[in-house]
Amino acid sequence: MATAFPKVSRIQYDGVGSKKPLAFKHYNEAELVEGKTMKEHLRFSVTYWHTFRGQLADMFGMGTAVRPWEDGTNSVSMAQKRARVAFEFMEKLGTPYYAFHDRDVAPEGRNLKESNRALDAVVKVLKEQQKRTGIKLLWGTACLFAHPRYMHGASTSCNADAFVYAAAQVKKAMEVTHELGGEGYVFWGGREGYSTLWNTNLKREMDHLAAFLHMAVDYKKKIGFKGQFLIEPKPKEPTKHQYDSDAAACLNFLREYGLLEHFKLNLETNHATLAGHTMQHEMEVAIASNALGSIDANMGDTLLGWDTDQFPTDIYLGAQVMLGILKMGGFTTGGTNFDAKVRRESFEPVDLFHGHIAGMDTFARGLKIAAAIRKDGRLEEFLKERYSSWDSGIGEKIEKRKVGFKELEEHALKMGEVRTNRSGRQEWLENLVNEFL
Ligand code: XLS
Ligand code: NI
Ligand code: NI
């Protein structure tokens, strides 16, 4: 097959200070950090939807993307050709994983049967390309938000028929994810929310969402799929309110409906900020429940109020995220999935490389910074010290639940005023972190 990127060869690590545009300055896949290679730590993944299906349109203008390999059709043969282009791209970039929605990789047919057949035809090519390159599927998912049938949602639609169709679609998407050896399967509730509560039975819709997920868990067991199920929180867009709005809401939902043991979270930076949180916050919440599975790496724009899905180039953010990942002991089935798109003005194929190289270098740098902060130890030491009143004496007794209000009153009467409150040292800590940037 003719190459789609004739001017690009395998992107190499060229070292810090390199001026080569198509080279890594920080991502050196074989470099060891805390005893593991960067490749093993970061587990980079390319998203099919943005990178190979994104037209770079926005709500004010049509797509600008120039993609010479596209023939203008949405045919199965074009989808197969595109799959080969995608693998050429990922091979040249050196990313070990990719992720897709069913309808990104294959066209939607006139009915479910046709759509399934189209998907099978493309999965054949994906499988052959995975074998050829060694690139693996990080996770699969189903697009339950683009087609008009899902206008009211999928599993939370007011219309039971939509639930039925969505179930059939997810069943098939799980099967192909399983067939391709996917390490996970993501549920992002694209339209699982509402635009107005005047027309919404919230309780009934949430019950339906839980029923849907329980059916998915049952079917997973049935087909022997061992991948990790993931929920991806997002507060809004396209709906005004999405039920899986943030990490805490998702965890509460999963707990309430007895689903927690079957799911982890796939956290996305731009979703965290849309929810009014930092990514660091979302990660802490998930890690506290041992439920951080994977991340969708991107970033938003503080002056634009929507999911701009930009490639992550913020080093501070990269360091924060990687500190969290190292703290939890690294990814197991998850990875760093670039749910990111190049800007509308970055319309050339080579920009797809620039975007990913930028993201990969940012996270590689974040990893090195995080490891250096951990090696230095002062941050951890400070945190340990800050809570030291809980390590012995009355603090320890409270943590071990050995005392109640009665004993604490006796203690307070003897103790007098609360002593030795120490400074939080926020500015000192922020400057300490800056030492490593
Ligand atoms: C959209 C979501 C979506 C999921 C996969 O905002 O990020 O792309 O990652 O359905
Ligand atoms: Ni995402
Ligand atoms: Ni998103």
Side-chain angles (χ1 to χ4, degrees), residues 346-417:
S346 307
F347 61 90
E348 295 176 350
V350 72
D351 290 307
L352 298 173
F353 282 98
H354 290 310
H356 285 87
I357 291 170
M360 290 162 81
D361 265 343
T362 302
F363 267 76
R365 212 161 155 187
L367 171 63
K368 288 192 275 186
I369 292 167
I373 292 174
R374 280 156 62 87
K375 189 163 175 232
D376 170 80
R378 277 175 293 160
L379 185 62
E380 205 192 328
E381 185 54 34
F382 180 86
L383 206 63
K384 198 168 161 272
E385 187 54 35
R386 186 158 189 248
Y387 290 88
S388 57
S389 69
W390 296 91
D391 296 337
S392 60
I394 194 68
E396 190 186 13
K397 283 188 190 144
I398 298 169
E399 277 199 351
K400 293 195 167 143
R401 303 279 174 92
K402 295 231 167 84
V403 286
F405 273 6
K406 194 175 152 289
E407 292 80 9
L408 294 183
E409 184 194 46
E410 282 161 21
H411 193 91
L413 287 168
K414 269 187 268 155
M415 177 180 83
E417 193 42 77

Side-chain angles (χ1 to χ4, degrees), residues 232 234 268 271 298 307 309 339:
E232 185 177 321
K234 184 175 182 181
E268 179 168 322
H271 297 181
N298 63 14
D307 198 11
D309 286 342
D339 196 349

Side-chain angles (χ1 to χ4, degrees), residues 174-247:
M174 279 171 61
E175 287 162 7
V176 305
T177 299
H178 184 35
E179 188 182 342
L180 292 170
E183 302 202 6
Y185 186 92
V186 164
F187 294 83
W188 168 61
R191 290 183 195 274
E192 311 293 34
Y194 57 79
S195 289
T196 173
L197 280 171
W198 295 126
N199 67 13
T200 303
N201 186 331
L202 181 140
K203 168 78 172 110
R204 216 165 169 185
E205 292 198 2
M206 303 229 337
D207 287 351
H208 295 164
L209 176 57
F212 193 90
L213 296 178
H214 272 292
M215 287 179 199
V217 169
D218 291 344
Y219 193 64
K220 179 179 189 245
K221 282 189 199 139
K222 188 155 189 235
I223 62 173
F225 175 50
K226 298 273 185 292
Q228 176 65 53
F229 269 180
L230 297 151
I231 301 246
E232 185 177 321
K234 184 175 182 181
K236 55 188 166 192
E237 197 203 88
T239 59
K240 160 179 152 149
H241 176 86
Q242 197 165 297
Y243 296 133
D244 44 16
S245 51
D246 64 5

Side-chain angles (χ1 to χ4, degrees), residues 3-285:
T3 154
F5 308 98
K7 294 201 187 109
V8 183
S9 39
R10 175 71 159 87
I11 309 294
Q12 304 286 349
Y13 171 65
D14 200 39
V16 182
S18 162
K19 298 281 183 281
K20 272 196 204 155
L22 288 174
F24 296 117
K25 280 89 192 166
H26 292 274
Y27 181 59
N28 181 9
E29 59 173 37
E31 187 175 323
L32 289 178
V33 178
E34 294 195 5
K36 272 200 316 199
T37 65
M38 281 196 172
K39 190 175 178 180
E40 289 164 336
H41 272 291
L42 293 160
R43 295 166 59 90
F44 286 130
S45 160
V46 170
T47 60
Y48 212 94
W49 53 101
H50 285 310
T51 302
F52 306 109
R53 303 315 305 278
Q55 317 273 304
L56 307 187
D58 65 20
M59 51 282 221
F60 297 99
M62 59 184 76
T64 59
V66 172
R67 304 288 181 251
W69 55 86
E70 292 286 333
D71 66 8
T73 70
N74 193 20
S75 63
V76 171
S77 62
M78 182 60 237
Q80 291 175 318
K81 182 179 169 200
R82 189 184 296 121
R84 295 192 181 96
V85 171
F87 275 82
E88 185 198 336
F89 175 80
M90 296 188 284
E91 238 192 325
K92 288 189 165 169
L93 194 60
T95 40
Y97 290 100
Y98 72 112
F100 66 71
H101 300 88
D102 50 0
R103 301 298 179 251
D104 312 328
V105 287
E108 173 122 21
R110 277 167 303 183
N111 52 49
L112 188 61
K113 209 171 188 175
E114 252 188 33
S115 299
N116 287 351
R117 208 178 304 138
L119 188 53
D120 285 334
V122 183
V123 164
K124 233 178 91 195
V125 178
L126 295 173
K127 207 170 174 180
E128 142 210 317
Q129 292 295 309
Q130 284 187 197
K131 210 165 154 216
R132 184 183 68 75
T133 60
I135 293 168
K136 296 191 222 153
L137 180 62
L138 187 67
W139 47 262
T141 186
C143 177
L144 304 179
F145 45 89
H147 195 279
R149 79 174 70 89
Y150 299 125
M151 64 172 73
H152 302 294
S155 67
T156 65
S157 176
C158 49
N159 183 350
D161 287 357
F163 184 111
V164 172
Y165 209 107
Q169 206 182 313
V170 168
K171 174 180 174 288
K172 180 68 182 173
M174 279 171 61
E175 287 162 7
V176 305
T177 299
H178 184 35
E179 188 182 342
L180 292 170
E183 302 202 6
Y185 186 92
V186 164
F187 294 83
W188 168 61
R191 290 183 195 274
E192 311 293 34
Y194 57 79
S195 289
T196 173
L197 280 171
W198 295 126
N199 67 13
T200 303
N201 186 331
L202 181 140
K203 168 78 172 110
R204 216 165 169 185
E205 292 198 2
M206 303 229 337
D207 287 351
H208 295 164
L209 176 57
F212 193 90
L213 296 178
H214 272 292
M215 287 179 199
V217 169
D218 291 344
Y219 193 64
K220 179 179 189 245
K221 282 189 199 139
K222 188 155 189 235
I223 62 173
F225 175 50
K226 298 273 185 292
Q228 176 65 53
F229 269 180
L230 297 151
I231 301 246
E232 185 177 321
K234 184 175 182 181
K236 55 188 166 192
E237 197 203 88
T239 59
K240 160 179 152 149
H241 176 86
Q242 197 165 297
Y243 296 133
D244 44 16
S245 51
D246 64 5
C250 285
L251 292 171
N252 179 59
F253 171 85
L254 292 170
R255 252 185 220 111
E256 181 175 351
Y257 288 99
L259 285 159
L260 192 56
E261 60 177 306
H262 304 292
F263 287 83
K264 286 195 169 181
L265 302 181
N266 179 41
L267 297 177
E268 179 168 322
T269 316
N270 207 160
H271 297 181
T273 48
L274 282 178
H277 303 310
T278 59
M279 181 65 166
Q280 199 184 13
H281 166 90
E282 289 291 85
M283 290 180 72
E284 287 295 319
V285 170

